[in-house]
Amino acid sequence: MKNVKEETLGQRIRAARIRKGITQEQLAEAMLTKKSMISYYENDHGDMKQSMIAELAKTLGTTVEYLVCGTQKTPNLDADSAELLKLFASLDESTRQIMLLQMRAVAKR
């Protein structure tokens, strides 16, 4: 994966989208908008409504704080938990979903 410079709101939206492994088209579809609007946001044209930033954060699996400020609170984790979280985050979306379903099934037992 490319290292993406993250300075502006648009650059952070793009970086979050790339980390999630989706295209502008896929993000646009999830947001019920057009690809051109996603490109518009990623290229920092104009101001975005707070509600749009919140919806982008939710869809991209990040926080408004990260998109707007570039910072994100991280929980205090022990080394093993932090390593597991990194490994989980490195998986593709479909594998993560399968693992989550399996973990929920085990937790219900």
Side-chain angles (χ1 to χ4, degrees), residues 31-81:
M31 299 284 300
L32 303 176
T33 190
K34 296 180 181 180
K35 176 191 176 278
S36 61
M37 285 305 299
I38 300 303
S39 177
Y40 184 82
Y41 296 146
E42 288 185 2
N43 287 297
D44 292 303
H45 296 295
D47 292 326
M48 272 195 283
K49 293 181 179 179
Q50 291 177 355
S51 60
M52 179 56 75
I53 295 171
E55 186 63 28
L56 277 165
K58 179 179 174 186
T59 304
L60 293 170
T62 189
T63 64
V64 171
E65 178 184 17
Y66 165 72
L67 291 180
V68 174
C69 303
T71 58
Q72 199 160 285
K73 294 178 187 173
T74 55
N76 294 327
L77 300 174
D78 61 63
D80 288 340
S81 297

Side-chain angles (χ1 to χ4, degrees), residues 77-90:
L77 300 174
D78 61 63
D80 288 340
S81 297
E83 184 63 25
L84 283 172
L85 191 56
K86 284 180 190 175
L87 288 170
F88 185 78
S90 71

Side-chain angles (χ1 to χ4, degrees), residues 87-99:
L87 288 170
F88 185 78
S90 71
L91 299 171
D92 64 88
E93 182 64 23
S94 60
T95 304
R96 282 196 303 262
Q97 291 302 319
I98 291 168
M99 289 185 73

